[in-house]
Protein backbone atom coordinates (compact mmCIF):
# COMPACT_ATOMS: atom_id res chain seq x y z
CA UNK A 1 0.00 0.00 0.00
CA UNK A 2 1.27 3.51 -0.87
CA UNK A 3 -0.16 6.35 1.20
CA UNK A 4 0.39 10.09 1.35
CA UNK A 5 -0.13 11.93 4.64
CA UNK A 6 -1.10 15.48 3.70
CA UNK A 7 -1.49 18.33 6.17
CA UNK A 8 -0.05 21.59 7.45
CA UNK A 9 3.23 21.76 9.39
CA UNK A 10 2.78 20.25 12.83
CA UNK A 11 -0.44 18.41 11.86
CA UNK A 12 1.02 15.16 13.21
CA UNK A 13 2.09 13.57 9.90
CA UNK A 14 5.42 12.31 11.27
CA UNK A 15 3.81 11.02 14.48
CA UNK A 16 1.15 9.08 12.58
CA UNK A 17 3.60 7.86 9.92
CA UNK A 18 5.78 6.28 12.60
CA UNK A 19 2.74 4.53 14.09
CA UNK A 20 1.73 3.19 10.65
CA UNK A 21 5.27 1.91 10.11
CA UNK A 22 5.14 0.03 13.41
CA UNK A 23 1.72 -1.43 12.69
CA UNK A 24 2.05 -2.35 9.01
CA UNK A 25 5.81 -2.67 8.43
CA UNK A 26 5.73 0.00 5.74
CA UNK A 27 8.53 2.48 5.15
CA UNK A 28 8.24 6.19 6.03
CA UNK A 29 9.55 8.47 3.28
CA UNK A 30 9.87 11.93 4.87
CA UNK A 31 11.53 14.52 2.65
CA UNK A 32 11.92 16.76 5.74
CA UNK A 33 13.97 14.02 7.48
CA UNK A 34 16.01 13.40 4.32
CA UNK A 35 16.79 17.12 3.95
CA UNK A 36 17.74 17.44 7.65
CA UNK A 37 20.06 14.41 7.25
CA UNK A 38 21.68 16.08 4.21
CA UNK A 39 22.12 19.29 6.22
CA UNK A 40 23.66 17.41 9.18
CA UNK A 41 26.03 15.52 6.88
CA UNK A 42 27.43 18.84 5.56
CA UNK A 43 26.91 17.79 1.90
CA UNK A 44 26.76 20.43 -0.86
CA UNK A 45 23.00 19.90 -1.20
CA UNK A 46 22.61 20.14 2.58
CA UNK A 47 24.39 23.51 2.59
CA UNK A 48 22.21 24.68 -0.30
CA UNK A 49 18.94 23.92 1.55
CA UNK A 50 19.89 24.97 5.10
CA UNK A 51 18.81 28.64 4.85
CA UNK A 52 15.66 27.83 2.85
CA UNK A 53 14.54 25.36 5.53
CA UNK A 54 15.39 27.69 8.43
CA UNK A 55 13.18 30.36 6.83
CA UNK A 56 10.35 27.88 6.28
CA UNK A 57 10.32 28.19 2.49
CA UNK A 58 10.03 25.21 0.18
CA UNK A 59 13.12 23.56 -1.25
CA UNK A 60 13.06 23.19 -5.07
CA UNK A 61 10.98 20.45 -6.66
CA UNK A 62 14.10 19.18 -8.42
CA UNK A 63 15.90 18.43 -5.13
CA UNK A 64 13.01 16.69 -3.34
CA UNK A 65 11.88 14.70 -6.38
CA UNK A 66 15.52 13.55 -6.74
CA UNK A 67 15.53 12.38 -3.10
CA UNK A 68 12.34 10.37 -3.53
CA UNK A 69 13.47 8.90 -6.88
CA UNK A 70 16.69 7.73 -5.20
CA UNK A 71 14.71 5.99 -2.44
CA UNK A 72 12.46 4.26 -4.97
CA UNK A 73 15.47 3.22 -7.09
CA UNK A 74 16.87 1.56 -3.95
CA UNK A 75 13.60 -0.38 -3.51
CA UNK A 76 12.64 1.47 -0.32
CA UNK A 77 8.92 1.05 -1.05
CA UNK A 78 8.86 -2.71 -1.67
CA UNK A 79 6.53 -3.34 1.26
CA UNK A 80 4.59 -0.09 0.77
CA UNK A 81 5.43 3.50 1.61
CA UNK A 82 4.02 6.36 3.64
CA UNK A 83 4.89 9.67 2.03
CA UNK A 84 5.26 12.23 4.83
CA UNK A 85 5.70 15.87 3.71
CA UNK A 86 5.89 14.87 0.03
CA UNK A 87 4.44 15.85 -2.40
CA UNK A 88 4.02 19.52 -1.47
CA UNK A 89 3.45 21.09 -4.90
CA UNK A 90 1.48 20.10 -7.99
CA UNK A 91 4.81 19.51 -9.79
CA UNK A 92 5.88 17.07 -7.06
CA UNK A 93 2.49 15.32 -7.20
CA UNK A 94 2.77 14.82 -10.97
CA UNK A 95 6.34 13.57 -10.59
CA UNK A 96 5.36 11.05 -7.89
CA UNK A 97 2.55 9.70 -10.09
CA UNK A 98 5.04 9.25 -12.95
CA UNK A 99 7.72 7.67 -10.73
CA UNK A 100 5.23 5.13 -9.39
CA UNK A 101 3.63 4.27 -12.73
CA UNK A 102 7.05 3.81 -14.36
CA UNK A 103 7.63 1.11 -11.71
CA UNK A 104 4.24 -0.53 -12.23
CA UNK A 105 3.05 0.86 -8.90
CA UNK A 106 0.40 3.37 -7.81
CA UNK A 107 -0.93 5.42 -4.94
CA UNK A 108 -3.68 3.81 -2.86
CA UNK A 109 -4.83 6.72 -0.70
CA UNK A 110 -4.10 10.30 0.30
CA UNK A 111 -5.03 11.09 3.90
CA UNK A 112 -5.64 14.77 4.54
CA UNK A 113 -5.18 15.61 8.24
CA UNK A 114 -7.31 18.65 9.11
CA UNK A 115 -5.86 20.73 11.94
CA UNK A 116 -6.47 24.41 12.65
CA UNK A 117 -3.69 27.02 12.69
CA UNK A 118 -3.76 27.58 16.46
CA UNK A 119 -3.24 23.88 17.14
CA UNK A 120 -0.40 23.84 14.62
CA UNK A 121 1.40 26.60 16.48
CA UNK A 122 0.83 24.87 19.87
CA UNK A 123 2.04 21.55 18.56
CA UNK A 124 5.13 22.93 16.87
CA UNK A 125 6.18 25.12 19.77
CA UNK A 126 6.20 22.15 22.19
CA UNK A 127 7.84 19.61 19.89
CA UNK A 128 11.14 17.85 20.56
CA UNK A 129 12.58 14.71 19.00
CA UNK A 130 15.01 11.97 19.94
CA UNK A 131 18.36 12.44 18.17
CA UNK A 132 18.92 8.67 18.38
CA UNK A 133 15.82 7.29 16.65
CA UNK A 134 13.70 10.30 15.62
CA UNK A 135 10.80 9.56 18.00
CA UNK A 136 8.62 12.69 18.25
CA UNK A 137 7.59 14.14 21.65
CA UNK A 138 5.71 17.16 22.96
CA UNK A 139 6.10 19.19 26.18
CA UNK A 140 2.38 18.83 27.02
CA UNK A 141 0.87 15.97 25.03
CA UNK A 142 3.61 13.35 24.70
CA UNK A 143 6.43 13.35 27.22
CA UNK A 144 8.89 10.44 27.53
CA UNK A 145 8.19 8.21 30.58
CA UNK A 146 11.64 9.12 31.98
CA UNK A 147 12.68 12.75 31.35
CA UNK A 148 16.22 11.83 30.28
CA UNK A 149 15.60 8.74 28.13
CA UNK A 150 13.75 8.10 24.88
CA UNK A 151 10.92 5.57 25.36
CA UNK A 152 11.83 3.97 22.06
CA UNK A 153 15.65 3.68 22.05
CA UNK A 154 16.75 4.86 25.51
CA UNK A 155 19.02 7.65 24.17
CA UNK A 156 19.37 10.88 26.14
CA UNK A 157 19.70 13.16 23.11
CA UNK A 158 16.58 15.28 22.71
CA UNK A 159 16.60 18.04 20.07
CA UNK A 160 14.43 20.99 19.00
CA UNK A 161 14.26 21.97 15.33
CA UNK A 162 15.80 25.25 14.11
CA UNK A 163 12.67 25.98 12.02
CA UNK A 164 10.25 25.57 14.95
CA UNK A 165 10.06 29.31 15.70
CA UNK A 166 7.14 31.72 15.27
CA UNK A 167 8.44 33.43 12.12
CA UNK A 168 9.31 30.22 10.29
CA UNK A 169 5.99 28.62 11.28
CA UNK A 170 4.15 31.56 9.68
CA UNK A 171 6.13 31.09 6.47
CA UNK A 172 5.56 27.31 6.53
CA UNK A 173 1.81 27.81 6.96
CA UNK A 174 1.74 30.29 4.05
CA UNK A 175 3.64 27.81 1.89
CA UNK A 176 1.14 25.12 2.86
CA UNK A 177 -1.92 27.18 1.89
CA UNK A 178 -0.36 28.51 -1.30
CA UNK A 179 1.54 25.53 -2.69
CA UNK A 180 0.32 22.38 -0.95
CA UNK A 181 -3.40 22.80 -0.25
CA UNK A 182 -4.23 22.66 -4.02
CA UNK A 183 -3.25 18.97 -3.75
CA UNK A 184 -6.47 18.36 -1.82
CA UNK A 185 -8.52 19.07 -4.97
CA UNK A 186 -5.96 17.30 -7.16
CA UNK A 187 -6.27 14.02 -5.25
CA UNK A 188 -10.01 14.41 -4.68
CA UNK A 189 -10.43 14.51 -8.48
CA UNK A 190 -8.45 11.26 -8.71
CA UNK A 191 -10.76 9.59 -6.15
CA UNK A 192 -7.89 9.06 -3.69
CA UNK A 193 -8.64 11.64 -0.98
CA UNK A 194 -9.68 10.66 2.57
CA UNK A 195 -10.04 13.53 5.04
CA UNK A 196 -9.67 12.95 8.76
CA UNK A 197 -10.11 15.21 11.78
CA UNK A 198 -6.57 15.76 13.08
CA UNK A 199 -7.67 17.75 16.14
CA UNK A 200 -8.18 14.80 18.50
CA UNK A 201 -5.46 13.27 20.62
CA UNK A 202 -2.81 11.09 18.98
CA UNK A 203 -4.68 7.79 19.46
CA UNK A 204 -8.00 9.28 18.23
CA UNK A 205 -6.30 10.48 15.06
CA UNK A 206 -4.68 7.07 14.63
CA UNK A 207 -8.13 5.43 14.86
CA UNK A 208 -9.53 7.88 12.29
CA UNK A 209 -6.71 7.08 9.87
CA UNK A 210 -7.13 3.33 10.36
CA UNK A 211 -10.82 3.62 9.62
CA UNK A 212 -10.24 5.86 6.58
CA UNK A 213 -7.83 3.29 5.14
CA UNK A 214 -10.00 0.21 5.76
P1 LIG B 1 8.96 18.77 7.31
O1 LIG B 1 9.97 18.13 8.17
O2 LIG B 1 8.18 17.94 6.37
O3 LIG B 1 8.02 19.66 8.24
P2 LIG B 1 6.46 20.00 8.19
O4 LIG B 1 5.65 19.59 7.02
O5 LIG B 1 6.49 21.45 8.48
O6 LIG B 1 5.86 19.09 9.20
P3 LIG B 1 6.37 18.88 10.62
O7 LIG B 1 7.48 17.86 10.64
O8 LIG B 1 6.66 20.21 11.25
O9 LIG B 1 5.07 18.35 11.34
P4 LIG B 1 4.30 16.96 11.34
O10 LIG B 1 3.02 17.12 10.62
O11 LIG B 1 5.19 15.83 10.93
O12 LIG B 1 3.98 16.89 12.89
P5 LIG B 1 4.60 15.99 14.06
O13 LIG B 1 4.15 14.58 13.92
O14 LIG B 1 6.07 16.23 14.20
O15 LIG B 1 9.64 19.92 6.42
C1 LIG B 1 10.57 20.84 6.96
C2 LIG B 1 11.09 21.75 5.86
O16 LIG B 1 11.79 20.96 4.87
C3 LIG B 1 10.02 22.50 5.05
O17 LIG B 1 9.64 23.71 5.69
C4 LIG B 1 10.76 22.74 3.73
O18 LIG B 1 11.70 23.79 3.84
C5 LIG B 1 11.53 21.43 3.54
N1 LIG B 1 10.77 20.40 2.82
C6 LIG B 1 10.41 19.17 3.29
N2 LIG B 1 9.74 18.47 2.36
C7 LIG B 1 9.66 19.29 1.27
C8 LIG B 1 9.05 19.13 -0.01
N3 LIG B 1 8.39 18.01 -0.35
N4 LIG B 1 9.14 20.16 -0.89
C9 LIG B 1 9.83 21.31 -0.57
N5 LIG B 1 10.41 21.52 0.63
C10 LIG B 1 10.33 20.51 1.55
O19 LIG B 1 3.82 16.62 15.32
C11 LIG B 1 4.09 17.93 15.77
C12 LIG B 1 4.01 17.98 17.30
O20 LIG B 1 2.65 17.77 17.70
C13 LIG B 1 4.82 16.90 18.02
O21 LIG B 1 5.36 17.45 19.18
C14 LIG B 1 3.79 15.80 18.36
O22 LIG B 1 4.14 15.09 19.54
C15 LIG B 1 2.53 16.62 18.55
N6 LIG B 1 1.32 15.95 18.11
C16 LIG B 1 1.17 15.16 17.02
N7 LIG B 1 -0.10 14.74 16.90
C17 LIG B 1 -0.78 15.30 17.94
C18 LIG B 1 -2.13 15.25 18.36
N8 LIG B 1 -3.05 14.53 17.69
N9 LIG B 1 -2.49 15.95 19.48
C19 LIG B 1 -1.57 16.69 20.16
N10 LIG B 1 -0.26 16.75 19.83
C20 LIG B 1 0.13 16.08 18.71
Amino acid sequence: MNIILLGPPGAGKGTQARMLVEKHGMVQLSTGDMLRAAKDSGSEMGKQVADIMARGDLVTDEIVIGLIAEQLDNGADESGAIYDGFPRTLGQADALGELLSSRGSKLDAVVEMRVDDEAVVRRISGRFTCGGCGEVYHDDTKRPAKPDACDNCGANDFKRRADDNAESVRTRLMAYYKETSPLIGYYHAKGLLKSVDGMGDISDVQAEITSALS
Side-chain angles (χ1 to χ4, degrees), residues 191-207:
L192 290 171
L193 190 75
K194 320 259 182 198
S195 294
V196 302
D197 178 6
M199 291 295 294
D201 66 25
I202 292 172
S203 56
D204 290 342
V205 178
Q206 185 190 22

Side-chain angles (χ1 to χ4, degrees), residues 128-135 137 150 153 155-159:
F128 58 102
T129 54
C130 171
C133 68
E135 186 67 14
Y137 294 96
C150 173
C153 73
N156 177 11
D157 181 22
F158 295 117
K159 295 179 188 307

